[in-house]
Amino acid sequence: MKLAFSTLGCPNWPWKEIFIAAKDLGIDGIEIRGIENEMYAPRVRIFDDKNREATLRQLSGAGIALTQLTSGATLGMPDSPQAGRQEILDYVDMAQKLGVPYIRVMISPQPGPEPVDLEQGRKLYLELCRHAKTKGICLLIETNGALADSRVMREFMDGSDPESAGVLWDIHHPYRFFNETPEFTFRNIGRYIKNTHVKDSVFKDGKIAYRMMGYGDVPIFDALKTLKGAGYQGFITLEWTKRWNKELQEPGIVFYHYVSYMKYLMEDLDKEK
């Protein structure tokens, strides 16, 4: 398993600082979810036609992959059935140019359950997957909202094309919102999982309070054990929601702690052989 962080966790860092941090950490990948004030990845200057090749050479030279373009597109909101379509079309074109294999989409914007039109969302998702397949890209739908219930996700994904469709397992959401163990989640949707997000939290005074890894109660070790047992060799990506939660600790602290903590857990996994 390989480690990555999402740029969602460092909203004030320019690309130079993001790259240097990743290189210093010896991290395997960077997931793109906004850089400085630009959230729409196709408009990020370092990836435009003028700068793209230099950026890719820089990453390749350091052995760092761009793991995923994380869009904000939602597909299941009843009042805006086509709102995410153009965003995904733009992201697919960008991913093809960058050689990035995955794009994240969601059923709804909030982490927890809210009213959605699953039939509409599935129809649009499969349509966009067919388009993505022509460009060699796979659309990963996240375990958020109603799809954090892995039984619902299993039905949603049934019959999808594994070349262009898959699941982004945000380990936090099925546990926090549906009380699922990692083993239960994986039994339902493991065959669809192609990428993962991790974050930690506690439930305090009726609200979710995010914590650095190991300071909450999300069963991260159990999830890693489940993934390893299934032969998963993809990325484990820290999604630190600093952009949306300004009170959270700074990325310079959190990213370094994440790498150290994950290596500690992986060493413990190796000892269990």
Side-chain angles (χ1 to χ4, degrees), residues 13-50:
W13 285 4
W15 174 251
K16 181 178 180 180
E17 193 166 354
I18 293 168
F19 174 75
I20 289 172
K23 187 176 179 180
D24 287 349
L25 285 166
I27 211 152
D28 303 295
I30 300 171
E31 177 181 306
I32 304 301
R33 179 68 170 124
I35 294 179
E36 294 186 278
N37 295 324
E38 183 54 73
M39 288 300 294
Y40 202 71
R43 291 196 292 260
V44 172
R45 190 168 58 86
I46 60 162
F47 298 128
D48 64 20
D49 291 343
K50 180 181 177 181

Short mmCIF file of all heavy atoms in Angstrom, two decimals, residues 13-50:
data_model
loop_
_atom_site.label_atom_id
_atom_site.label_comp_id
_atom_site.label_asym_id
_atom_site.label_seq_id
_atom_site.Cartn_x
_atom_site.Cartn_y
_atom_site.Cartn_z
N TRP A 13 -1.16 26.57 0.60
CA TRP A 13 0.15 26.28 0.05
C TRP A 13 0.17 26.44 -1.47
O TRP A 13 -0.70 25.88 -2.15
CB TRP A 13 0.56 24.85 0.37
CG TRP A 13 0.97 24.60 1.78
CD1 TRP A 13 0.94 25.49 2.82
CD2 TRP A 13 1.46 23.36 2.32
NE1 TRP A 13 1.39 24.88 3.97
CE2 TRP A 13 1.71 23.58 3.69
CE3 TRP A 13 1.69 22.11 1.78
CZ2 TRP A 13 2.20 22.57 4.53
CZ3 TRP A 13 2.18 21.10 2.61
CH2 TRP A 13 2.43 21.34 3.96
N PRO A 14 1.14 27.12 -2.01
CA PRO A 14 1.34 27.11 -3.47
C PRO A 14 1.89 25.76 -3.89
O PRO A 14 2.35 24.96 -3.06
CB PRO A 14 2.36 28.23 -3.69
CG PRO A 14 3.13 28.30 -2.41
CD PRO A 14 2.15 27.95 -1.32
N TRP A 15 1.89 25.50 -5.19
CA TRP A 15 2.35 24.21 -5.68
C TRP A 15 3.78 23.90 -5.22
O TRP A 15 4.08 22.76 -4.87
CB TRP A 15 2.28 24.16 -7.20
CG TRP A 15 2.89 22.90 -7.74
CD1 TRP A 15 4.06 22.78 -8.43
CD2 TRP A 15 2.38 21.56 -7.61
NE1 TRP A 15 4.32 21.46 -8.74
CE2 TRP A 15 3.30 20.69 -8.24
CE3 TRP A 15 1.24 21.03 -7.01
CZ2 TRP A 15 3.10 19.32 -8.30
CZ3 TRP A 15 1.04 19.65 -7.07
CH2 TRP A 15 1.96 18.81 -7.70
N LYS A 16 4.65 24.90 -5.23
CA LYS A 16 6.04 24.65 -4.85
C LYS A 16 6.12 24.06 -3.45
O LYS A 16 6.87 23.11 -3.20
CB LYS A 16 6.84 25.95 -4.92
CG LYS A 16 8.30 25.78 -4.55
CD LYS A 16 9.06 27.10 -4.67
CE LYS A 16 10.53 26.93 -4.29
NZ LYS A 16 11.27 28.21 -4.40
N GLU A 17 5.32 24.59 -2.53
CA GLU A 17 5.34 24.10 -1.15
C GLU A 17 4.72 22.71 -1.05
O GLU A 17 5.20 21.85 -0.29
CB GLU A 17 4.61 25.08 -0.23
CG GLU A 17 4.84 24.82 1.24
CD GLU A 17 4.40 25.97 2.12
OE1 GLU A 17 4.02 27.02 1.59
OE2 GLU A 17 4.46 25.81 3.36
N ILE A 18 3.66 22.46 -1.81
CA ILE A 18 3.03 21.14 -1.85
C ILE A 18 4.04 20.09 -2.31
O ILE A 18 4.21 19.03 -1.69
CB ILE A 18 1.81 21.14 -2.78
CG1 ILE A 18 0.70 22.04 -2.20
CG2 ILE A 18 1.28 19.72 -3.00
CD1 ILE A 18 -0.42 22.33 -3.18
N PHE A 19 4.73 20.40 -3.41
CA PHE A 19 5.69 19.46 -3.98
C PHE A 19 6.85 19.19 -3.02
O PHE A 19 7.24 18.04 -2.80
CB PHE A 19 6.21 19.98 -5.31
CG PHE A 19 7.31 19.14 -5.88
CD1 PHE A 19 7.03 17.92 -6.48
CD2 PHE A 19 8.64 19.56 -5.81
CE1 PHE A 19 8.05 17.12 -6.99
CE2 PHE A 19 9.66 18.77 -6.31
CZ PHE A 19 9.37 17.54 -6.91
N ILE A 20 7.40 20.25 -2.43
CA ILE A 20 8.53 20.10 -1.52
C ILE A 20 8.13 19.25 -0.31
O ILE A 20 8.88 18.37 0.13
CB ILE A 20 9.07 21.47 -1.07
CG1 ILE A 20 9.78 22.16 -2.24
CG2 ILE A 20 10.01 21.33 0.12
CD1 ILE A 20 10.18 23.58 -1.96
N ALA A 21 6.93 19.49 0.23
CA ALA A 21 6.48 18.70 1.38
C ALA A 21 6.35 17.22 1.01
O ALA A 21 6.79 16.34 1.75
CB ALA A 21 5.14 19.24 1.89
N ALA A 22 5.76 16.95 -0.15
CA ALA A 22 5.60 15.56 -0.59
C ALA A 22 6.95 14.89 -0.78
O ALA A 22 7.15 13.74 -0.38
CB ALA A 22 4.79 15.51 -1.89
N LYS A 23 7.89 15.61 -1.36
CA LYS A 23 9.22 15.07 -1.59
C LYS A 23 9.94 14.82 -0.27
O LYS A 23 10.55 13.76 -0.06
CB LYS A 23 10.02 16.02 -2.47
CG LYS A 23 11.36 15.47 -2.92
CD LYS A 23 12.05 16.44 -3.88
CE LYS A 23 13.41 15.90 -4.31
NZ LYS A 23 14.09 16.85 -5.23
N ASP A 24 9.86 15.78 0.65
CA ASP A 24 10.52 15.62 1.95
C ASP A 24 9.93 14.47 2.76
O ASP A 24 10.65 13.77 3.49
CB ASP A 24 10.41 16.92 2.76
CG ASP A 24 11.31 18.02 2.22
OD1 ASP A 24 12.17 17.73 1.36
OD2 ASP A 24 11.15 19.18 2.66
N LEU A 25 8.62 14.27 2.62
CA LEU A 25 7.96 13.19 3.34
C LEU A 25 8.25 11.82 2.74
O LEU A 25 7.99 10.80 3.38
CB LEU A 25 6.44 13.42 3.33
CG LEU A 25 5.89 14.51 4.25
CD1 LEU A 25 4.45 14.83 3.88
CD2 LEU A 25 5.97 14.06 5.70
N GLY A 26 8.75 11.82 1.51
CA GLY A 26 8.93 10.55 0.82
C GLY A 26 7.61 9.91 0.48
O GLY A 26 7.49 8.68 0.40
N ILE A 27 6.61 10.75 0.24
CA ILE A 27 5.26 10.25 0.01
C ILE A 27 5.13 9.79 -1.44
O ILE A 27 5.83 10.27 -2.33
CB ILE A 27 4.22 11.33 0.38
CG1 ILE A 27 2.93 10.69 0.87
CG2 ILE A 27 3.95 12.28 -0.78
CD1 ILE A 27 2.16 11.55 1.82
N ASP A 28 4.21 8.86 -1.68
CA ASP A 28 4.10 8.25 -3.00
C ASP A 28 3.20 9.02 -3.96
O ASP A 28 3.34 8.86 -5.18
CB ASP A 28 3.54 6.82 -2.86
CG ASP A 28 4.40 5.96 -1.95
OD1 ASP A 28 5.56 5.70 -2.32
OD2 ASP A 28 3.91 5.55 -0.88
N GLY A 29 2.25 9.80 -3.43
CA GLY A 29 1.32 10.45 -4.33
C GLY A 29 0.67 11.69 -3.77
O GLY A 29 0.65 11.91 -2.56
N ILE A 30 0.13 12.49 -4.68
CA ILE A 30 -0.62 13.70 -4.34
C ILE A 30 -1.97 13.63 -5.05
O ILE A 30 -2.03 13.38 -6.26
CB ILE A 30 0.12 14.98 -4.79
CG1 ILE A 30 1.49 15.08 -4.12
CG2 ILE A 30 -0.72 16.22 -4.47
CD1 ILE A 30 2.36 16.20 -4.68
N GLU A 31 -3.02 13.84 -4.30
CA GLU A 31 -4.36 13.93 -4.87
C GLU A 31 -4.74 15.40 -5.02
O GLU A 31 -4.55 16.19 -4.09
CB GLU A 31 -5.36 13.22 -3.95
CG GLU A 31 -6.80 13.30 -4.41
CD GLU A 31 -7.73 12.61 -3.44
OE1 GLU A 31 -7.50 11.42 -3.13
OE2 GLU A 31 -8.70 13.25 -2.98
N ILE A 32 -5.28 15.78 -6.16
CA ILE A 32 -5.56 17.18 -6.44
C ILE A 32 -7.01 17.52 -6.09
O ILE A 32 -7.95 17.02 -6.71
CB ILE A 32 -5.28 17.52 -7.91
CG1 ILE A 32 -3.83 17.18 -8.28
CG2 ILE A 32 -5.58 19.00 -8.17
CD1 ILE A 32 -2.78 17.90 -7.46
N ARG A 33 -7.17 18.37 -5.08
CA ARG A 33 -8.49 18.91 -4.71
C ARG A 33 -8.30 20.38 -4.35
O ARG A 33 -8.36 20.78 -3.19
CB ARG A 33 -9.09 18.13 -3.55
CG ARG A 33 -10.46 18.64 -3.09
CD ARG A 33 -11.52 18.39 -4.13
NE ARG A 33 -12.86 18.66 -3.61
CZ ARG A 33 -13.72 19.52 -4.16
NH1 ARG A 33 -13.38 20.19 -5.24
NH2 ARG A 33 -14.92 19.68 -3.64
N GLY A 34 -7.99 21.17 -5.37
CA GLY A 34 -7.79 22.60 -5.17
C GLY A 34 -6.35 22.94 -4.86
O GLY A 34 -5.67 22.21 -4.13
N ILE A 35 -5.87 24.03 -5.46
CA ILE A 35 -4.55 24.57 -5.14
C ILE A 35 -4.71 26.07 -4.94
O ILE A 35 -5.19 26.78 -5.82
CB ILE A 35 -3.54 24.25 -6.26
CG1 ILE A 35 -3.29 22.74 -6.33
CG2 ILE A 35 -2.21 24.98 -6.00
CD1 ILE A 35 -2.33 22.31 -7.40
N GLU A 36 -4.35 26.52 -3.76
CA GLU A 36 -4.56 27.91 -3.33
C GLU A 36 -6.04 28.28 -3.52
O GLU A 36 -6.90 27.58 -3.00
CB GLU A 36 -3.59 28.83 -4.07
CG GLU A 36 -2.14 28.57 -3.69
CD GLU A 36 -1.19 29.57 -4.31
OE1 GLU A 36 -0.83 29.39 -5.51
OE2 GLU A 36 -0.80 30.52 -3.60
N ASN A 37 -6.32 29.33 -4.29
CA ASN A 37 -7.69 29.81 -4.40
C ASN A 37 -8.49 29.16 -5.52
O ASN A 37 -9.65 29.52 -5.74
CB ASN A 37 -7.71 31.33 -4.59
CG ASN A 37 -7.18 32.07 -3.39
OD1 ASN A 37 -7.42 31.65 -2.25
ND2 ASN A 37 -6.47 33.16 -3.61
N GLU A 38 -7.88 28.24 -6.23
CA GLU A 38 -8.57 27.62 -7.38
C GLU A 38 -8.98 26.18 -7.04
O GLU A 38 -8.14 25.31 -6.86
CB GLU A 38 -7.66 27.62 -8.61
CG GLU A 38 -8.31 27.07 -9.86
CD GLU A 38 -9.61 27.76 -10.20
OE1 GLU A 38 -9.56 28.93 -10.67
OE2 GLU A 38 -10.68 27.13 -9.98
N MET A 39 -10.28 25.95 -6.97
CA MET A 39 -10.79 24.61 -6.69
C MET A 39 -11.04 23.80 -7.95
O MET A 39 -11.06 22.57 -7.90
CB MET A 39 -12.10 24.72 -5.89
CG MET A 39 -11.90 25.16 -4.45
SD MET A 39 -10.84 24.02 -3.52
CE MET A 39 -11.85 22.55 -3.47
N TYR A 40 -11.23 24.45 -9.07
CA TYR A 40 -11.56 23.76 -10.32
C TYR A 40 -10.27 23.35 -11.00
O TYR A 40 -9.59 24.16 -11.63
CB TYR A 40 -12.39 24.68 -11.21
CG TYR A 40 -13.23 23.96 -12.23
CD1 TYR A 40 -14.35 23.24 -11.85
CD2 TYR A 40 -12.91 24.02 -13.58
CE1 TYR A 40 -15.13 22.58 -12.79
CE2 TYR A 40 -13.69 23.38 -14.53
CZ TYR A 40 -14.80 22.67 -14.12
OH TYR A 40 -15.57 22.01 -15.06
N ALA A 41 -9.91 22.09 -10.87
CA ALA A 41 -8.59 21.62 -11.32
C ALA A 41 -8.25 21.98 -12.76
O ALA A 41 -7.10 22.32 -13.05
CB ALA A 41 -8.48 20.11 -11.11
N PRO A 42 -9.19 21.94 -13.71
CA PRO A 42 -8.83 22.30 -15.09
C PRO A 42 -8.35 23.74 -15.26
O PRO A 42 -7.77 24.08 -16.30
CB PRO A 42 -10.13 22.06 -15.87
CG PRO A 42 -10.83 20.99 -15.08
CD PRO A 42 -10.53 21.33 -13.65
N ARG A 43 -8.57 24.57 -14.24
CA ARG A 43 -8.10 25.96 -14.33
C ARG A 43 -6.81 26.20 -13.54
O ARG A 43 -6.32 27.33 -13.49
CB ARG A 43 -9.19 26.92 -13.82
CG ARG A 43 -10.41 27.00 -14.72
CD ARG A 43 -11.26 28.22 -14.39
NE ARG A 43 -11.90 28.10 -13.10
CZ ARG A 43 -13.17 27.74 -12.91
NH1 ARG A 43 -13.93 27.43 -13.94
NH2 ARG A 43 -13.68 27.67 -11.69
N VAL A 44 -6.27 25.17 -12.91
CA VAL A 44 -5.02 25.32 -12.14
C VAL A 44 -3.86 25.54 -13.11
O VAL A 44 -3.64 24.75 -14.03
CB VAL A 44 -4.77 24.09 -11.25
CG1 VAL A 44 -3.39 24.17 -10.61
CG2 VAL A 44 -5.85 23.99 -10.16
N ARG A 45 -3.11 26.62 -12.91
CA ARG A 45 -2.12 27.07 -13.89
C ARG A 45 -0.99 26.07 -14.12
O ARG A 45 -0.51 25.91 -15.24
CB ARG A 45 -1.54 28.42 -13.45
CG ARG A 45 -0.70 29.11 -14.50
CD ARG A 45 -0.43 30.56 -14.10
NE ARG A 45 0.23 30.63 -12.82
CZ ARG A 45 1.55 30.54 -12.64
NH1 ARG A 45 2.34 30.35 -13.68
NH2 ARG A 45 2.07 30.63 -11.44
N ILE A 46 -0.56 25.36 -13.08
CA ILE A 46 0.58 24.46 -13.25
C ILE A 46 0.24 23.26 -14.14
O ILE A 46 1.13 22.52 -14.57
CB ILE A 46 1.12 23.95 -11.89
CG1 ILE A 46 0.02 23.20 -11.14
CG2 ILE A 46 1.70 25.08 -11.07
CD1 ILE A 46 0.55 22.31 -10.05
N PHE A 47 -1.06 23.07 -14.41
CA PHE A 47 -1.48 21.96 -15.26
C PHE A 47 -1.96 22.42 -16.64
O PHE A 47 -2.48 21.60 -17.41
CB PHE A 47 -2.60 21.17 -14.57
CG PHE A 47 -2.20 20.55 -13.27
CD1 PHE A 47 -2.97 20.75 -12.13
CD2 PHE A 47 -1.06 19.77 -13.16
CE1 PHE A 47 -2.61 20.18 -10.91
CE2 PHE A 47 -0.68 19.19 -11.95
CZ PHE A 47 -1.46 19.40 -10.82
N ASP A 48 -1.80 23.70 -16.95
CA ASP A 48 -2.28 24.17 -18.25
C ASP A 48 -1.30 23.76 -19.36
O ASP A 48 -0.25 23.15 -19.10
CB ASP A 48 -2.51 25.69 -18.25
CG ASP A 48 -1.24 26.51 -18.02
OD1 ASP A 48 -0.13 26.00 -18.23
OD2 ASP A 48 -1.38 27.70 -17.64
N ASP A 49 -1.65 24.08 -20.59
CA ASP A 49 -0.85 23.62 -21.73
C ASP A 49 0.59 24.11 -21.67
O ASP A 49 1.51 23.42 -22.14
CB ASP A 49 -1.50 24.08 -23.04
CG ASP A 49 -2.81 23.35 -23.32
OD1 ASP A 49 -3.05 22.30 -22.70
OD2 ASP A 49 -3.60 23.85 -24.14
N LYS A 50 0.79 25.27 -21.09
CA LYS A 50 2.13 25.86 -21.02
C LYS A 50 3.01 25.17 -19.98
O LYS A 50 4.22 25.00 -20.18
CB LYS A 50 2.02 27.35 -20.72
CG LYS A 50 3.36 28.06 -20.63
CD LYS A 50 3.18 29.54 -20.31
CE LYS A 50 4.51 30.25 -20.15
NZ LYS A 50 4.33 31.69 -19.80
#
